[in-house]
């Protein structure tokens, strides 16, 4: 295996879940999201094979994802209007981490019995009945784990982040508290790998 293949493999491993969650929020269809992310990863592979220099991989992947979503909808004769969401990548500084970059690592900090069903439900958007089968629990136990996971994630978010809200109580932004060492360390290494 060449160094390029190793590099592409590590990029896919690092970003696949983030991109799929991002695309799924945009298109609201699991299969479409999977197809779009696969297309983005194919474009990444083709770019590397052509020797294209990509200075900021995160910015490149999210920009290609936005374009691929738009192209996907045009090809399939669907109207697509991009909405700006709180967790979208900021356009003025692609190296700036967003609140969305905090979520998946923070879910990973939860006990596995809460993290796994929460990740499947809220990031992968898998129906709770399917999650129950995958984790070997009843539907009611799965719902309870997901609900408790959300509560624990909110508590962790409150403990680890300074959160700003607007006058209507809507989330505006957040920053990681200096006392939240595990998240500080994770985000620092994540940011170094993409900027």
């Amino acid at each position: 295996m060449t160094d390029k293949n190793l590099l592409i493999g590590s990029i896919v491993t690092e970003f696949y879940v983030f991109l799929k969650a991002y695309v799924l929020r945009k298109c609201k269809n699991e299969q479409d999201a999977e197809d779009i992310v696969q297309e983005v990863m194919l474009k990444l592979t083709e770019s590397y094979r052509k020797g294209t220099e990509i200075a900021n991989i995160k910015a490149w992947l999210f920009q290609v994802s936005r374009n691929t979503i738009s192209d996907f909808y045009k090809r399939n004769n669907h109207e697509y209007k991009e909405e700006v969401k709180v967790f979208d990548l900021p356009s003025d500084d692609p190296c700036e981490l967003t609140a969305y970059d905090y979520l998946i690592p923070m879910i990973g900090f939860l006990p596995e019995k809460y993290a796994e069903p929460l990740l499947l439900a809220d990031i992968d958007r898998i129906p709770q009945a399917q999650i129950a089968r995958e984790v070997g629990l009843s539907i009611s136990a799965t719902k309870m784990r997901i609900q408790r996971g959300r509560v624990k994630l909110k508590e962790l978010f409150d403990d680890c982040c300074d959160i700003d809200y607007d006058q209507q109580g809507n989330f505006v932004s957040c920053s990681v508290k200096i006392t939240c060492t595990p998240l500080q360390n994770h985000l620092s290494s994540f940011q170094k790998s993409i900027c």
Side-chain angles (χ1 to χ4, degrees):
M1 189 176 273
T2 67
D3 288 344
K4 275 189 178 182
N5 289 339
L6 286 172
L7 179 63
I8 291 170
S10 67
I11 291 169
V12 170
T13 301
E14 180 83 22
F15 288 99
Y16 194 89
V17 172
F18 287 98
L19 280 181
K20 185 167 178 202
Y22 171 80
V23 172
L24 191 55
R25 282 194 331 273
K26 299 288 188 185
C27 69
K28 310 285 192 251
N29 179 292
E30 179 80 25
Q31 188 57 53
D32 290 350
E34 187 70 37
D35 292 345
I36 290 166
V37 173
Q38 291 292 331
E39 191 172 335
V40 170
M41 294 305 173
L42 181 62
K43 288 176 182 179
L44 172 69
T45 303
E46 288 171 355
S47 292
Y48 268 89
R49 285 194 179 131
K50 290 177 185 175
T52 304
E53 190 71 31
I54 300 174
N56 183 316
I57 191 66
K58 182 180 179 186
W60 188 92
L61 285 169
F62 278 89
Q63 183 60 51
V64 170
S65 294
R66 284 191 285 269
N67 295 341
T68 305
I69 292 166
S70 180
D71 293 345
F72 179 86
Y73 278 91
K74 285 177 192 168
R75 265 195 323 263
N76 293 291
N77 296 320
H78 296 300
E79 185 178 336
Y80 172 71
K81 192 194 301 188
E82 182 172 3
E83 299 172 28
V84 176
K85 300 283 187 188
V86 169
F87 294 138
D88 281 348
L89 185 70
S91 58
D92 57 339
D93 184 1
C95 289
E96 181 183 331
L97 294 172
T98 67
Y100 190 73
D101 293 317
Y102 306 169
L103 287 178
I104 293 175
M106 289 179 81
I107 290 172
F109 296 153
L110 297 175
E112 189 175 345
K113 69 179 185 177
Y114 300 117
E116 183 181 10
L118 184 60
L119 190 65
L120 292 170
D122 290 356
I123 303 299
D124 292 341
R125 304 271 191 211
I126 295 174
Q128 292 183 352
Q130 184 179 339
I131 295 169
R133 287 191 299 273
E134 285 187 28
V135 298
L137 295 171
S138 67
I139 292 178
S140 62
T142 300
K143 288 180 181 181
M144 187 171 61
R145 289 259 178 101
I146 292 167
Q147 208 46 39
R148 284 187 183 161
R150 288 175 181 151
V151 169
K152 289 184 177 299
L153 182 62
K154 182 176 182 333
E155 290 169 357
L156 183 59
F157 215 91
D158 290 340
D159 288 346
C160 278
C161 299
D162 290 316
I163 306 170
D164 296 322
Y165 299 96
D166 64 16
Q167 291 178 341
Q168 290 76 36
N170 298 313
F171 176 89
V172 175
S173 66
C174 69
S175 58
V176 179
K177 293 178 182 175
I178 202 77
T179 56
C180 189
T181 307
L183 188 57
Q184 286 281 359
N185 292 341
H186 175 82
L187 294 175
S188 176
S189 65
F190 179 71
Q191 201 164 28
K192 282 178 189 169
S193 72
I194 60 171
C195 294

